[in-house]
Amino acid sequence: MDEKTRKIYNTAGISDAVLDYCSDIEQAQAERFRRIDEMSEYGQIKVVEAMRKNHVQEGHFAGTTGYGYNDDGRDAIERVYADVFHTEDALVRPHITCGTHALTVALSGNLRPGDELLSPVGEPYDTLQGVIGIRPERGSLAEYGVTYRQVDLLPDGSFDYPAIKAAINDRTKLVTIQRSRGYLTRKTFSVEQIGELIAFIKGIRPDLICMVDNCYGEFVEPIEPTDVGADMCVGSLIKNPGGGLAPSGGYIVGTRECVANAAYRLTAPGLGKELGSSMGLNRTLLQGLFLAPTVTASALKTAIFAAGIYEKLGYKVTPDSKEDRYDIIQAIIFESDKALIEFCKGIQKASPVDSFVTPEPWPMPGYDCDVIMAAGAFISGSSIELSADGPLRPPYTAYFQGGLTWPHGKYGIMMSLQNLVDAGIVHLS
Ligand SMILES: *Cc1c(COP(=O)(O)O)cnc(C)c1O
């Protein structure tokens, strides 16, 4: 590191001891980072080619209002997404509020009363439990007569094929597969693993709709679940594919039939994709998608860098610094409330927005203990931006993700370490 860079880090609050400690880790990860860059190169070309093919042009950036009939930019975005994911069609809308909403639209659009939904990968993401009705909730699928069946993973984290086969019956209509671990302890599935599961399911009943909750997984691998047989892939634009620019939105890509069913649910039966004004957001969604491969690469590097640092300090990290990654989430198990809090405060301190506020644990709705959250994001709640949170209960795990640029992610992680050093929790020899 040259003197000028060292100096600005010092001015920004990072000591030489922390810089040197982290610098060694970064050097040891050089080959890993090179492979991530290579993958982002692949993703970048994939996205640009989809934009070239669909003649993305300045006229597409003009917004529509009201009904949004003939919004060429909106239609172009959807064709680009369909090409990036190699699907027949796509629904990409700023009106989709969040990932949970996108999944709700995909599920409720494709399921009918009397159908059964199957999760062959254990319990779904917390918010989905209310949507399905595992946890009773107003307007859940259960209230509309859609039943749910779940097959848990085997103790070693693999698929329980015999139990999955036994769970599939005449009423099974849709299989939901969550790619990312979310906040569970299981591992995230690779696209290849998801492909094996889908092949098994299609081998039993080729007509079953296989849907993948792709949240946090986009662009982490060169291929997506739709490349290995998924009929439908769903995610949030304030995570990876929005590239940090999309201010809101979600996507559903898949077969023409699945996307049409979802569109009839998002707007109205008979209206579908024809309506929905883009309100001036087309350019931002396209530019965000353009940036998404490199932004996701930055988030991945940040996660691996943090894993390397905290692992060397003796903390349990998952995934560890060596294993392959299939999403951008990193967990660090601190076994100490103080350490968890200082880590989050460090992330906050390094944020471009709200750096001056101090995160405090608070009794967040839906949790049985206090939760601390650190985020200083340009887009509220965006988890492709560097952000961390942790429930204040043993084993005091910090979950963090994001980093729009690698230099910022690196700075945030170094600040978290600096905070732990300054608090006397970590001693760098
Ligand atoms: C983020 C996420 C969701 C949806 O969450 P929202 O907060 O509603 O955007 C669903 N599943 C997984 C695995 C996620 O990571």
Side-chain angles (χ1 to χ4, degrees), residues 403-422:
L404 291 184
T405 69
W406 158 237
H408 178 247
K410 176 178 168 181
Y411 172 51
I413 298 304
M414 289 203 290
M415 189 66 98
S416 73
L417 176 57
Q418 185 71 54
N419 249 22
L420 287 160
V421 170
D422 292 347

Side-chain angles (χ1 to χ4, degrees), residues 98-101 103 125 127-128 178 180 182 213 215-216 236 239:
C98 59
T100 306
H101 185 199
L103 287 155
Y125 196 75
T127 53
L128 260 292
Q178 183 180 315
S180 170
D213 171 354
C215 283
Y216 286 131
S236 162
K239 293 178 179 172

Side-chain angles (χ1 to χ4, degrees), residues 99-121:
T100 306
H101 185 199
L103 287 155
T104 302
V105 167
L107 288 170
S108 51
N110 281 283
L111 289 160
R112 296 290 179 270
D115 288 344
E116 189 159 275
L117 168 67
L118 170 68
S119 170
V121 296

